[in-house]
């Protein structure tokens, strides 16, 4: 029986997109596993963009296109809203014990100015939401609550807007209005939202495999948060594989996840690090087994 695979693509800005491209291409060549065939894709922020492209049918060669540096953004217009969310700050004063650091910082920052207009290129790729599940976490700007676009319990919006919501980096990009709601980057509450894997519907006889790509794990607090998030998955008997930046990949990434000029270097470093890991004795065979492949390129 082929395992049920949930692919989790974490946040990380343009640098994170390059990391995803490199790791995924190494998995294609080293294991013969096509990430487009994942039963569920959970994509947060940068991972939302990459996940959408996979669901649109892009292979790992074409993912190199997302590494192209965007045009220089316009200067900030006058009259920026600051702080970005008065309602959230008032809720903090009323119930401080419920405060979460990420939403609090996002609320305190000035509202972002850039619209993420380049994500409009996703519109012609999707006539409707993908048939295979694509879950895109974002955060409600004025309550701090998580919303997961693409799930049945959330109002349906188009894929491009969902990606804009999940990538609305506080202080950089404007919150995205959907009706009366405003949404911001899903990465402010979790860099991966790996816990969503427990919500995937799986036939009883299928083994669960969760593949997590976490570009931001080079920062120790976020690495520890990911370990905390996957503990319930491990306890339930899921097979969890983590792909995180090693020392060489971290050096290629630098300290600014929003730097669009490191794409090629990061993708290459992530590719070689992943292939090196797969070439260790027994590792590639184990990974291929968990993915339900026989190895070899596709």
């Amino acid at each position: 029986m082929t395992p049920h695979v949930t692919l989790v693509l974490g946040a990380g800005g343009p640098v994170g997109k390059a990391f995803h491209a490199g790791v995924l291409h190494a998995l294609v060549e080293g294991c013969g596993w096509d990430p487009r065939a994942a039963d569920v894709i959970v994509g947060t922020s940068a991972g939302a963009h990459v996940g959408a492209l996979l669901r649109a049918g892009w292979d790992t060669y074409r993912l190199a296109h997302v590494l192209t540096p965007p045009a220089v953004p316009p200067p900030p217009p006058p009259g920026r809203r600051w702080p970005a969310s008065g309602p959230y700050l008032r809720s903090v004063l009323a119930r401080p014990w419920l405060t979460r650091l990420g939403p609090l910082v996002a609320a305190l920052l000035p509202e972002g100015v850039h619209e993420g207009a380049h994500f409009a290129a996703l519109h012609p790729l999707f006539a409707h939401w993908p048939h295979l599940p694509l879950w895109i976490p974002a955060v409600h700007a004025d309550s701090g609550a998580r919303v997961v676009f693409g799930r049945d319990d959330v109002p349906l919006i188009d894929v491009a807007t969902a990606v804009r919501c999940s990538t609305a980096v506080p202080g950089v990009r404007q919150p995205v209005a959907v009706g009366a709601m405003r949404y911001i980057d899903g990465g402010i509450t979790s860099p991966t939202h790996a816990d969503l894997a427990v919500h995937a519907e799986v036939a009883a006889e299928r083994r669960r495999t969760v593949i997590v790509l976490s570009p931001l794990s080079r920062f120790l607090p976020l690495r520890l948060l990911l370990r905390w998030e996957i503990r319930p998955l491990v306890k339930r008997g899921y097979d969890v594989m983590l792909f995180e930046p090693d020392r060489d990949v971290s050096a290629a990434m630098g300290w600014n996840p929003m730097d669009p000029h490191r794409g090629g270097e990061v993708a290459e470093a992530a590719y070689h690090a992943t292939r090196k890991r797969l070439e260790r004795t027994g590792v590639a065979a184990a990974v291929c087994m968990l993915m339900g492949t026989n190895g070899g390129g596709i």
Side-chain angles (χ1 to χ4, degrees):
M1 177 66 68
T2 302
H4 180 284
V5 178
T6 297
L7 175 62
V8 178
L9 301 169
V15 169
K17 294 177 188 179
F19 176 81
H20 292 322
V23 172
L24 292 174
H25 191 55
L27 291 176
V28 167
E29 291 195 341
C31 293
W33 178 71
D34 188 344
R36 295 173 296 185
D39 295 277
V40 177
I41 294 179
V42 179
T44 301
S45 196
H49 192 192
V50 174
L53 292 174
L54 290 172
R55 285 299 192 232
W58 283 38
D59 60 26
T60 54
Y61 287 102
R62 291 192 69 194
L63 285 180
H65 288 271
V66 306
L67 308 180
T68 303
V72 177
R80 300 172 71 189
R81 181 186 300 188
W82 183 80
S85 178
Y88 187 79
L89 295 178
R90 288 192 290 273
S91 73
V92 168
L93 293 175
R95 295 181 294 178
W97 57 89
L98 297 179
T99 303
R100 300 185 65 183
L101 180 59
L104 175 60
V105 172
L108 288 169
L109 287 171
E111 191 175 76
V113 296
H114 310 306
E115 297 182 349
H118 57 289
F119 292 121
L122 290 171
H123 281 298
L125 300 180
F126 296 95
H128 47 74
W129 200 269
H131 173 67
L132 289 174
L134 171 64
W135 295 350
I136 298 180
V139 174
H140 186 269
D142 297 323
S143 72
R146 176 173 74 180
V147 61
V148 184
F149 294 110
R151 289 183 57 187
D152 292 339
D153 55 349
V154 173
L156 184 65
I157 63 173
D158 63 90
V159 173
T161 300
V163 171
R164 283 183 58 219
C165 290
S166 189
T167 57
V169 182
V172 178
R173 294 190 180 132
Q174 296 176 359
V176 178
V178 178
M181 304 294 186
R182 298 188 308 144
Y183 295 100
I184 54 176
D185 197 317
I188 69 168
T189 56
S190 168
T192 64
H193 295 275
D195 62 295
L196 288 172
V198 302
H199 299 290
E201 294 185 8
V202 185
E205 67 273 11
R206 296 186 70 184
R207 189 174 184 88
R208 291 176 180 257
T209 296
V210 182
I211 304 167
V212 183
L213 278 62
S214 180
L216 292 179
S217 283
R218 68 187 186 277
F219 302 118
L220 181 60
L222 299 182
R223 191 181 188 95
L224 295 176
L225 175 59
L226 176 57
R227 297 303 187 279
W228 180 79
E229 285 188 346
I230 66 173
R231 283 181 63 188
L233 305 180
V234 175
K235 287 183 178 179
R236 289 171 178 250
Y238 296 11
D239 297 306
V240 181
M241 291 181 287
L242 302 181
F243 292 90
E244 302 168 299
D246 62 11
R247 182 177 300 177
D248 292 338
V249 177
S250 296
M253 287 178 156
W255 290 98
N256 179 13
M258 301 303 292
D259 184 352
H261 302 288
R262 290 181 174 267
E265 181 183 0
V266 171
E268 183 176 2
Y271 169 82
H272 287 296
T274 305
R275 286 305 301 263
K276 184 176 180 180
R277 175 180 173 184
L278 293 175
E279 289 165 4
R280 295 174 190 162
T281 303
V283 172
V287 171
C288 293
M289 179 188 70
L290 294 176
M291 294 176 174
T293 68
N294 296 318
I298 58 174

